Structures are given as C-alpha cells and as structure tokens.
Amino acid sequence: MRAPAPDASNLPHEGASSSPSGGWLSRFLGWRGPERGSVVLHYRRVFILPTRYGLLFGVALLAMLLGAINYQLSLGYALTFFTASVAVVGMLSTFRNLAGLKLRMIETPAVFAGAPACLGIALENAVHPRTRWRLRIAAANSSTRHLRRKGGLSSQPLNDPVFLPAFFDVGADSPASLIVSVPTHQRGLMPLPRLRIDSVFPLGLWRAWAYWHPAGQVVVYPAPEVQPPSLPAPGALEAEGAWRGLGQEEFAGLRDYQPGDALRRIAWRRAARDEAGLLVKRFDGAQSQRLMLDWQQLQGLDTEARASRLCAWILEAEARHLQYGLILPDRRVDYGQGFDHRERCLYALAAMPHPAAS
Amino acid sequence: MKLATVATWEFERRNKLALLAVLVLIFLPHLSILPLWCTLMWVSITSLCAWRVWRRATELPRLVLLPLTIAVAAGIWIQFGTWIGKEAGVALLLLMTALKLLELRAARDIFVIIFLGLFSQITAFLNDQSPLVALGAIISTWGLFAVLISVQLDAAPLSGRRRAALALRLCAWAIPLTAALFILFPRASGPLWGMPGGNGTAATGLSDSMSPGSVSKLVQSEALALRVHFDETPPPSERLYWRGPVLSRFDGRSWTPLPADLQLPPLTRSTATNRAVDYEITQEPQSQAWLFMLEIPAFLPAFNDGLNPSLSAEMTLRGDRPLLEPVRYRLRSFLDYRLQPDLRPDQLEPWLTLPRGYNPRTLALAQQLSLPLINAAPTNGDTALADTLEWRLAMTVLNYWRTEGFSYTLTPPALTRDSVDAFIFDTRSGFCEHYASAFTVLMRAMGVPARVVTGYLGGELNPLANLVTVRQSEAHAWSEIYVRGWGWVRMDPTSAVSPDRIQSGLDDRLYEGRERDGWLSRIGLSSLRWYWQIGQAQWQRWVIDWSQARQLDTLAKLGWPRPDIGTLGGLLAAAVLVMLAFTAWPLLRNPDTRPKAQVLYSRACRRLERLGLVRSPHEGPIVFGQRVARSLEPKSAHAFSEITDYFVAISYRQCVNPLPLLIRLARCVSRFRPALV
C-alpha cells in the first residue's frame, strides 16, 4: 500500500526548512526542521543526561566518598573512583550507542484517521560497523515521556503496545528496519512527526537521545462512516430501477488498458494470444451505473462528517465495482474504477482543506 | 529488527542469580566480624532468596517482609544499642540488602541492591585493606556492573559470557581515569566527623599498663605491629629492642606510667655516636598514642599530618592522639648510648618507690641477696660497668632465676594478691612480664632505681629489602636500671631464663602447634614469602598510606615548587581532562572507512558544491562530469575530467595496482580549484 505521490507543493522546501526558527539556540541544539533523505546522527545531535538511576548512583557515590574520607580508607577512595570512572566510561558508551547512526525513512503508507500511521524506518551504521544495543524510537512529543520514568527497562508490561516503542538492536553490518506507530486523529496531510531515538545502554545510568525530523507527510484518509446510508442513486437523480442493472452488465467490446483498470477485467486470454498489449473488457450498462459522489449534495452535515460519508461511499462503490467519480469543492475526480482510482479519490478527500484553515 | 528469542523472565532469573552470587562474594569479608546471629540470618535469607529465584517463586508478600524487617532492626538495636556506627551500621546494611533481595519486583529493586552492594564493599575495607580484599572488591564490582548491563540488555540475543565481557571492557577503560583520580584527588587529612566505635576491639597493641597476663595475651596475635625499613643491613634481631611505654609506677599488682604532672629531671643524654642506625617505621593503628622506636632516637621524627610527637623524660615517644590510622616516620637511633648519666640521687626518687604492705617475701629476698655485695668494698667512681654495684646486684638476681628452677611459659598459673611473691616463691614460671616485674621490684628493694619498659623485641628480617616485620607476638617487657655514672642501662631478665626468646624470637613450642613459616618454608620457598612481604609493604606504602602529605611530598620530590592542595586540584582537573580525552577518543572516533578514492573524489565534489554544482544522487560520476564541464571554465573543466577519469578507473575498472592512480588522483584533487565560466 503506497500513498499516491503528493504534490510537490505540499512538501516543505528544503531551503526554506533549513532554519525554521533561526535562533542560535535551536541551531546550537541542532533543531534543524524537517530533513530530507537519510540522516546521520552526528555527535552534535546526540544529547546525554543522567537518568533517575544515574542521579541515585551519584548519591551512592557521594556516600561512598564520604565514608572513605571519614574512615581514611585508601581503598575506599580507590573503589569510589573506580566506580565513578566506570560510570563515566558508561556515559561515553551510551553516547556512542547513538552517535554515528544513519536513519532513513523507507515508507509512509496512507492510513484512515484513527488508525496508527506506520512509518517504516531503516537504521544502519553510517561508517563504523558497531553493534548498537537497546535503542528505542518514537514520536518525540507523545509516548516516550512517561516511558522515561521506567528507566528504560522493559521488564514492566507496556500498557499500549502500539504506540510505546519496544527496544531494537542494530547489528554491526546488518541494517535494522522497523515500524514506528504514530497515532492519527484527523483527516489530512499529516506532516511526519519529529522522532526521538534514545538509548540507556549499557548501564542505565545515562540516557542519550537525538531528534530526527524527517521531511514528508502521511496521508490520512477520513475515517469511513460506520453505518453509512446506502449509496445515492447513480446519476444522483436517476430512477431507483436503474440499480437493478447492477451486475447484469453485458459485454460490449474491448478497449486498451489504462492504469487503474481492475485486473479481473483484463482480457487475459486475448493478452496471451497476441502481443498487442493488454485489453480490457468493456461492459454495457455501465453507462447507467455511473455514480458521481457530489460534496454539494450532502447538505446538513459538517465538513468532516461529509468527508467520512464520502469515504465510506467510495469504499462501497469500489467494492461493488461501480464506475464512480468524486466532486469536491476544490477538485473533481472523473469516473473510474480500481485500486488506484480509489486511492486518488481518498487522497482528494484527505487533501481537502479543513474548514478552519480555509 | 532482531526478534528476542529468549524469554525475558529467563534472563531475569539469570540476572538475579548472578546478583546473588556477587553479593555473597561481597559479604564474605564481613563474615568474621559480625555477630553470629547476623551471619546466620544473612545466610538463611540469601539461601531462601536463591531457592525462591531458582524455583521461580513469586515475591514474598509485604505482610511477611515487614515483620521480618522490623525484627532485624530490633535485633541489631538489642545487640549494639544503635543503628549507626561501624559495626551496627554494617550489620544493618548487610541484612537490609539481603531482605531487599526477597522483594525483587522491578528493575528498580535491582538498581537499589547494586548500589547497596557497592557501598557495602567500602565497609569491608574498615577491617581489612589487604590486596586480597582489594582483588575481591574489583571482582565483585565487575560482577555488579555485569548484572547492571545484563539487566539493560534484558532479552537481547547475547550470551552471559558476552555480557560479562562487555562489563569487563567497560571496567578496563575506567582504569586510567581511576588511577588519575586516586593519585591526584586531594585527600582529607582527618575524619569529617567522629569515628564511632573506632577504638576498642579493632586496634590491638601494647596498653598503658602491665599486669600479669597483659603481654601474653598480645603474644597470641599474629597481627602486624611495625614494619621497619632499614637504610642499611639491620642489627641482629637480639639487639632490636623497640621501645614503647615506660612503666614506672607499681601498685602491687600492675605497672603504669608515672603521672603526667610529676616533675621529672630533664632528658639529657650523652650519646656514644659510634653506631647510628637509620630506618623508617610504619606503625599499624593502635588504640594508644605510643610511637615505637629502636632504643634511643637521635631526633624527633617529623609528621606531616599534625601528629605532634613529644619525647618524655623517660625517653618515650607519643603522639597527641590515638593512632587510629597507620603512621610512618623516619628515625635515627643509637644502639650504644648513655642515657641521663648525671642524675642526682634525689632526682631518682620516682623509680625507687614500692607500695607498702605488698610482697613482703620479695623484700626479704632482696635483703638476703644484696647483703653480701653491699658489705663488700664500695667501688670508686670510674669503674667498668660490669664492676658497678648495680650491675652486680642485677647479675645476682639473674643468677637466682637460673639456679632456682624458674621456667618460661606462655600459660602461667594464676597469681594471688602479692603477685611478685607468688611468682618468685610459688609458681616460678611465667612470661616476660612476670620476669620484668619481679626483677624491677627486686632491684628497687635493693635500692637500685629501676623501671619496666614495654615494647617489641626482634622481628622478622626480610633480607631482600632490609625490611623487618614486627608482629604483636613479638611484644616484650624488660627493665632498665640506673647505674651511677652510666645512666639507664637495659636489663632483660627474661634472657636469664629463656635465652632463645631473645635470640630467635619466641620458642616454637610456645605456639601450641601453630606453624610460623607454614607450608611455604616446608617446600623450600621461604623467599616467596619474603617477596610477598615486600609486596605487602609496598602496597601499604603506596596504596593504603597514600595521604595528602604523601601526595604533596611526592609532588615536591618530582620537582614541583611548593605544592599545595590547589596544585593537586589543578593537576587533577588537567589529568581528568586528558584521561577523558584519552578514553573518549577511541570510543568516539569514527574513522572514514570509505575507499580512499571515494574520499578524494567527494572532496573535489564538495569544492564544486560551493559553486552551486551539486551532484544529484542519481548522477553517476561520468554524467556528472559531463554536466559540470559545461559550466566550468576550460582549465578547471579539464582538471575535473581528469579527476573523474582517475576515480572511475580506480573504482570501476579492475586494476592490479591502484596505488599510482590513487597518488595521481590525490595530486589532482589537492590542486583542484574550480571556477565557473
């Protein structure tokens, strides 16, 4: 399932996005707005701070130092320093677990509103082959926050397996690919969220994290209405009887294949016989069963309800193999049929501006 | 994404078992010092926990744990009367850690136990800072970090051995930083707060008083007392009298020092300086402030850490506070000397007094022994020592020991109220303190000023390093008598009974079957023991006794002009930075592992990028070269086409030896300064 190519105008322009806020702080912190293509987590992009356990560990170290000082224990000093040094090396190790990682967005399939958007991401070593253990990635704003309190351990059950990230490992020379689930709430062209990738490996005393804001968007179709009224009559005003023609079409000839034609209408036997190309069987009676779904005819509903109903109708019309089209306030999709046609219609619905924005 | 193939709980079980094993290792050094019930309790709680983890039982309910915790806390209160302080604190810490093991619910509990385990190791050092304990601490710290890492890894596909290896690598990387911190961190020179429970049972040593049995109790102990480094070959061990407290007041049963407010004649000495010995003493902690020295010192030792030593009129050295940590001092001593030879008879009063009504038979014996000598012709002033009256009186007493069947034993029979009477006339067997005490009383009864000196005699010589090790078992008591014209002269009454004690240390038979040299000497490896001794001495010197004074001293010796605590701080900061860089560099370094030609080519491309000629991802080098050639001025276009040719030739054509091409490519790239038309 692949989203139709979005308009170039919908993508943030690379030049324009390079400094969204432009402040020196955001430049220093490496908040560079949406980035296209693959991204290498350079050292300057990786942040690190102690975890809750790291702070507790600091308290323990202080207690050890005080004990060593008070009782004049030279080995106590030595052990304290050794433990602290291991923690410092652990900090570098945690940092290294993230730095130099190469991230790439593989695919952002379209979803219906309410279902999680599944972003396919590939991770690999940019240069140096190195196994990276126990990484997590999630949308930056939402779900990592309350997970952080658990100290980066998965021994406690995660209550929402869809949006809470699990751990993954990146092999030294085997790229990892995984899916990040992001909740969707609203129809539209949802810009990809800023992602946060983090790790507390190896000691759990430090947390390194980095932000990655991939450019691009997820097409979110409207959620189809649950129990929509039956499809409007074809041609909108035609007689009820026209419906009886459904499924009783008669073969009316062949025409050239166009992308989007249903596979089962292709004249396969003919295609096997000569190399002229694919031909599609044409049926009569389709003329009378053409269905134009018109935005304007759905009076008395608000925009989102209309979009939902149209979405449900499109799905139903496609299921019934009707020839259908769509008229929206800002665009029109001509009659057609097939998977790509359906996607075209749904995309038109998704891309329709929200009333608040217009 | 690699899938977790092993169930999480299985790893949790392994982590818990590993944690238990490490905690047992940490607890081992504490085993000997805790009360028995604490040890038993710890063992039972830990085994219960191990069994439960092994059987994958669920945690105990709080309803069981809470009363158990309260019971443990109450037990410790009953035993020690406190929860803080050295012993009570350690007991509480260990038992609470064990109890925490019973409620291993979440990862948080494991963290807490690991931190408690780290802290518990510090408490082990309170009793023992030997290399063995240090090694144990290193191993268990490694174990704790391994568990920490394993908890983080959870169900990741990595064997237990690889997890331990990860921890080991982390620990190895920490060593340089640890060394810098250990050497340069400014050490505090005193405790931050009082040391509760610091004195008492922990420190052993000669005490302020001597009553029958006090020294022989010490002799049972193999604990280290002094370590002495001689600059040259040390004197023979029968001449190594380590002088400690001088006891001059006798109350009929025990000997104590003279009261501090008593006016004593000033300390004068005329010393025969023909034999001076230079040495450095490291004295183990004692509950008293006495400092030991070989016979008569030439000067007062200097201490850096404010332990102002003072030399008393009786030639004893003591600091101004109990020596709860090891002290080290350099001294020069004279073995041939005359101590206060010019005292007037009235100044000698304190060393002649005897308690009234005690030991009547001894006084009578003194009369009887001295009568023939005193009646003999009085000696004139300038006689040899052996001809003096005092000396001959002393010899009479020693002869009495020899001829009347006195014997030397570590386990003398108990004595009655008139202890000296009972010893001389009834039991006739005793230890050095009996002999020194009886001898001194007899001498005083004969009118010869005398006093008891306690300290150590001899020591074990390690010929490899001129190192003499003195143990508590070498504790000894002897006498000094005042010979007119000669000053205080040392007399060792024990020698009359047991010359072996003086010459070769304690008789082996007195050790009741304990082996002095052990198995090493039996298989002919006693030199190994000497090396071990030297190692221990160096360990003590460079690790255990590393103090602020030693830090500054070492810096000064290295040529630092007037180092102070600020110098240490600055050096530490610099060293930590260097070490961090040293540690971070290999960890963070990201070498460019692309082929060399690729690196050179992209360098040329970057220069083109500055002119706005960006190579798109889909463009191959040849196509890109053709496109670029149109916008560049001819000379740089030619240069870039050359670069492209070399790059393509190296990368895509199979050439046997790309090195000459690579060199040419590098030369072209370094000269490449593109310009637009």
Side-chain angles (χ1 to χ4, degrees):
Chain A
M1 192 156 101
R2 204 164 271 279
D7 295 351
S9 57
N10 283 330
L11 280 177
H13 197 266
E14 197 169 8
S17 67
S18 62
S19 55
S21 52
W24 63 269
L25 185 67
S26 54
R27 231 175 323 157
F28 175 75
L29 292 176
W31 290 338
R32 53 204 85 207
E35 293 165 287
R36 306 178 73 165
S38 60
V39 154
V40 177
L41 296 183
H42 210 269
Y43 305 133
R44 286 201 346 227
R45 297 182 70 141
V46 179
F47 305 93
I48 191 159
L49 274 182
T51 58
R52 222 161 50 107
Y53 296 118
L55 296 177
L56 193 61
F57 185 77
V59 173
L61 273 182
L62 200 66
M64 287 166 76
L65 185 65
L66 285 181
I69 290 175
N70 196 53
Y71 289 98
Q72 306 275 303
L73 297 171
S74 208
L75 283 189
Y77 279 105
L79 185 72
T80 309
F81 296 150
F82 180 59
T83 314
S85 302
V86 172
V88 169
V89 174
M91 176 185 77
L92 295 171
S93 208
T94 306
F95 189 83
R96 193 175 81 130
N97 208 28
L98 273 195
L101 195 64
K102 189 174 178 183
L103 308 159
R104 190 159 45 88
M105 188 62 81
I106 306 174
E107 55 174 3
T108 55
V111 289
F112 292 98
C118 297
L119 315 177
I121 292 172
L123 300 102
E124 59 192 314
N125 282 302
V127 185
H128 194 64
R130 176 192 296 162
T131 311
R132 296 155 191 279
W133 297 104
R134 307 280 97 176
L135 305 174
R136 283 185 323 180
I137 188 165
N141 51 0
S142 59
S143 42
T144 48
R145 202 157 300 258
H146 69 272
L147 196 75
R148 203 178 313 162
R149 297 209 193 90
K150 293 177 184 163
L153 290 149
S154 62
S155 56
Q156 295 183 351
L158 304 175
N159 20 2
D160 192 348
V162 179
F163 300 120
L164 292 184
F167 293 101
F168 61 93
D169 311 316
V170 178
D173 36 31
S174 57
S177 55
L178 61 135
I179 287 170
V180 175
S181 304
V182 179
T184 61
H185 305 292
Q186 204 184 18
R187 158 194 79 85
L189 302 177
M190 185 178 84
L192 288 181
R194 195 160 68 122
L195 297 174
R196 179 189 148 110
I197 177 165
D198 73 348
S199 168
V200 295
F201 183 81
L203 294 180
L205 306 177
W206 302 90
R207 174 183 308 282
W209 76 95
Y211 289 111
W212 173 40
H213 196 169
Q217 58 192 355
V218 181
V219 179
V220 182
Y221 303 147
E225 198 176 334
V226 181
Q227 281 183 319
S230 53
L231 285 175
L237 289 169
E238 273 182 48
E240 187 85 2
W243 279 100
R244 269 177 245 123
L246 263 177
Q248 298 172 359
E249 308 138 346
E250 287 184 11
F251 180 67
L254 292 164
R255 62 168 175 78
D256 281 342
Y257 172 79
Q258 290 172 340
D261 280 331
L263 287 181
R264 41 186 211 87
R265 295 216 166 176
I266 294 174
W268 290 110
R269 240 176 279 165
R270 217 18 225 281
R273 212 159 50 223
D274 57 32
E275 290 86 40
L278 295 175
L279 293 175
V280 178
K281 289 180 245 178
R282 203 158 54 81
F283 292 91
D284 242 0
Q287 200 70 12
S288 61
Q289 287 155 26
R290 282 182 159 190
L291 177 65
M292 185 53 76
L293 301 168
D294 191 349
W295 178 270
Q296 297 302 337
Q297 287 180 355
L298 294 172
Q299 300 291 341
L301 292 171
D302 68 350
T303 315
E304 295 311 310
R306 286 185 191 185
S308 266
R309 178 161 299 170
L310 285 176
C311 176
W313 279 350
I314 288 168
L315 296 182
E316 191 175 343
E318 179 62 30
R320 292 194 185 180
H321 311 297
L322 296 178
Q323 291 279 324
Y324 60 93
L326 182 64
I327 301 173
L328 293 179
D330 59 340
R331 70 179 80 187
R332 177 195 163 92
V333 183
D334 216 338
Y335 291 106
Q337 205 206 359
F339 180 77
D340 285 0
H341 179 70
R342 190 195 82 162
E343 299 294 294
R344 230 174 349 259
C345 294
L346 290 176
Y347 177 74
L349 272 182
M352 197 171 51
H354 289 270
S358 59
Chain B
M1 182 154 94
K2 281 180 188 166
L3 287 173
T5 49
V6 191
T8 298
W9 55 263
E10 183 58 33
F11 271 100
E12 274 191 2
R13 197 165 74 109
R14 281 204 216 170
N15 289 344
K16 285 178 186 172
L17 288 177
L19 186 60
L20 268 172
V22 177
L23 285 179
V24 168
L25 185 63
I26 290 174
F27 181 70
L28 278 181
H30 293 95
L31 206 64
S32 54
I33 54 148
L34 284 187
L36 186 65
W37 71 269
C38 286
T39 306
L40 289 179
M41 187 121 188
W42 195 91
V43 170
S44 49
I45 292 176
T46 310
S47 352
L48 174 70
C49 181
W51 182 74
R52 293 179 66 83
V53 172
W54 188 255
R55 298 294 305 269
R56 303 190 183 90
T58 50
E59 305 89 10
L60 281 178
R62 286 245 156 88
L63 220 62
V64 180
L65 276 175
L66 195 67
L68 207 54
T69 312
I70 293 172
V72 163
I76 287 171
W77 183 269
I78 291 165
Q79 173 90 35
F80 298 101
T82 175
W83 282 319
I84 51 171
K86 215 160 100 176
E87 273 140 22
V90 169
L92 194 69
L93 185 66
L94 285 164
L95 285 176
M96 288 300 159
T97 311
L99 282 173
K100 186 79 191 156
L101 276 172
L102 281 177
E103 58 153 14
L104 272 179
R105 280 197 181 80
R108 186 190 58 226
D109 299 325
I110 288 195
F111 269 100
V112 168
I113 287 176
I114 285 175
F115 296 162
L116 284 175
L118 283 172
F119 189 80
S120 304
Q121 292 183 321
I122 295 272
T123 60
F125 297 145
L126 287 170
N127 308 302
D128 192 358
Q129 296 199 75
S130 68
L132 206 65
V133 171
L135 186 71
I138 288 177
I139 291 174
S140 42
T141 308
W142 166 42
L144 287 177
F145 278 117
V147 173
L148 203 55
I149 290 178
S150 190
V151 167
Q152 290 303 324
L153 276 170
D154 203 29
L158 203 62
S159 68
R161 188 184 297 182
R162 299 265 314 274
R163 288 164 192 232
L166 267 177
L168 188 63
R169 212 172 57 180
L170 222 56
C171 290
W173 276 114
I175 287 172
L177 198 59
T178 311
L181 281 166
F182 182 81
I183 294 169
L184 290 170
F185 185 88
R187 298 295 177 87
S189 51
L192 298 175
W193 63 89
M195 287 203 217
N199 43 18
T201 54
T204 54
L206 285 170
S207 68
D208 256 353
S209 72
M210 185 184 84
S211 50
S214 63
V215 178
S216 51
K217 198 168 63 200
L218 262 186
V219 168
Q220 314 279 354
S221 161
E222 275 291 278
L224 194 68
L226 312 170
R227 247 196 212 106
V228 191
H229 268 282
F230 285 92
D231 290 2
E232 288 157 24
T233 311
S237 79
E238 70 263 24
R239 299 222 52 180
L240 297 178
Y241 278 87
W242 305 102
R243 189 185 179 93
V246 171
L247 312 172
S248 303
R249 202 165 69 156
F250 187 53
D251 65 358
R253 181 167 180 85
S254 56
W255 290 87
T256 46
L258 290 174
D261 51 356
L262 194 69
Q263 285 291 321
L264 290 178
L267 187 62
T268 58
R269 64 171 184 268
S270 68
T271 314
T273 55
N274 57 349
R275 178 147 188 195
V277 183
D278 289 294
Y279 55 94
E280 187 183 67
I281 293 188
T282 309
Q283 185 174 321
E284 289 297 300
Q286 306 246 347
S287 49
Q288 306 288 331
W290 300 109
L291 294 161
F292 293 86
M293 56 202 179
L294 185 59
E295 303 275 16
I296 300 300
F299 52 81
L300 268 181
F303 291 90
N304 286 317
D305 43 358
L307 190 81
N308 300 312
S310 55
L311 208 55
S312 78
E314 291 185 293
M315 188 56 80
T316 58
L317 191 62
R318 62 183 299 166
D320 55 359
R321 55 187 154 89
L323 308 167
L324 295 175
E325 66 238 50
V327 284
R328 176 195 308 278
Y329 44 95
R330 269 199 81 81
L331 276 177
R332 160 177 291 181
S333 278
F334 297 109
L335 298 186
D336 300 323
Y337 58 89
R338 289 189 187 187
L339 182 62
Q340 294 172 307
D342 44 5
L343 291 185
R344 295 189 311 277
D346 59 300
Q347 291 176 314
L348 290 164
E349 195 57 36
W351 296 289
L352 281 168
T353 48
L354 283 172
R356 280 173 198 282
Y358 278 90
N359 305 313
R361 286 149 81 193
T362 308
L363 300 183
L365 176 69
Q367 290 291 323
Q368 183 197 327
L369 287 176
S370 63
L371 214 58
L373 287 168
I374 290 177
N375 289 343
T379 52
N380 48 9
D382 209 25
T383 48
L385 180 62
D387 294 335
T388 56
L389 176 63
E390 292 89 341
W391 182 267
R392 285 188 292 152
L393 284 171
M395 285 305 135
T396 313
V397 173
L398 295 189
N399 269 326
Y400 185 75
W401 291 167
R402 272 191 215 105
T403 51
E404 295 293 320
F406 282 80
S407 68
Y408 184 69
T409 172
L410 249 186
T411 50
L415 298 174
T416 50
R417 171 179 172 272
D418 292 318
S419 59
V420 180
D421 272 6
F423 168 67
I424 293 180
F425 298 102
D426 303 335
T427 67
R428 297 208 163 175
S429 65
F431 194 55
C432 57
E433 68 223 43
H434 299 92
Y435 287 98
S437 172
F439 179 80
T440 312
V441 169
L442 275 171
M443 291 314 286
R444 285 191 182 181
M446 291 175 179
V448 179
R451 59 195 184 193
V452 172
V453 184
T454 56
Y456 301 93
L457 169 61
E460 189 186 13
L461 171 69
N462 184 335
L464 296 175
N466 288 337
L467 171 73
V468 170
T469 311
V470 183
R471 298 179 183 282
Q472 296 294 356
S473 56
E474 258 110 14
H476 192 51
W478 59 92
S479 296
E480 268 181 339
I481 56 170
Y482 191 82
V483 181
R484 213 163 302 136
W486 289 86
W488 291 100
V489 174
R490 187 187 70 239
M491 300 295 297
D492 194 339
T494 316
S495 64
V497 186
S498 173
D500 282 355
R501 165 69 186 96
I502 314 303
Q503 273 157 25
S504 62
L506 281 170
D507 194 321
D508 280 347
R509 276 168 303 156
L510 293 176
Y511 272 86
E512 293 159 11
R514 274 189 298 159
E515 303 240 3
R516 194 89 204 267
D517 283 354
W519 54 274
L520 277 178
S521 64
R522 235 181 298 141
I523 57 171
L525 280 176
S526 46
S527 66
L528 213 64
R529 201 160 72 91
W530 289 333
Y531 281 116
W532 172 245
Q533 262 182 1
I534 296 172
Q536 271 186 322
Q538 295 300 325
W539 172 262
Q540 184 75 30
R541 187 188 172 94
W542 292 106
V543 180
I544 307 303
D545 297 348
W546 190 245
S547 60
Q548 192 183 333
R550 295 284 314 279
Q551 287 176 316
L552 299 178
D553 195 37
T554 310
L555 271 187
K557 270 187 196 149
L558 289 175
W560 197 278
R562 265 176 291 148
D564 59 358
I565 197 158
T567 320
L568 278 176
L571 275 177
L572 176 68
V576 165
L577 278 179
V578 169
M579 289 296 169
L580 262 185
F582 169 75
T583 317
W585 172 246
L587 284 178
L588 294 180
R589 190 169 46 114
N590 243 354
D592 202 342
T593 53
R594 291 180 300 173
K596 192 77 188 145
Q598 181 93 50
V599 174
L600 290 167
Y601 180 69
S602 35
R603 194 178 300 160
C605 287
R606 266 204 302 279
R607 291 196 187 136
L608 287 173
E609 263 171 45
R610 271 178 235 146
L611 301 177
L613 300 167
V614 184
R615 185 181 157 204
S616 317
H618 64 267
E619 265 179 318
I622 298 176
V623 177
F624 177 59
Q626 285 162 358
R627 176 163 75 86
V628 163
R630 271 174 256 138
S631 355
L632 289 176
E633 52 99 16
K635 210 170 140 190
S636 41
H638 176 72
F640 191 67
S641 80
E642 211 176 346
I643 290 172
T644 308
D645 287 347
Y646 284 132
F647 173 59
V648 169
I650 295 167
S651 307
Y652 302 109
R653 274 176 221 142
Q654 296 205 330
C655 43
V656 184
N657 181 15
L659 196 63
L661 289 177
L662 207 57
I663 292 169
R664 262 177 264 171
L665 175 62
R667 201 174 298 148
C668 290
V669 169
S670 68
R671 280 196 217 123
F672 183 54
R673 297 280 178 277
L676 293 174
V677 177

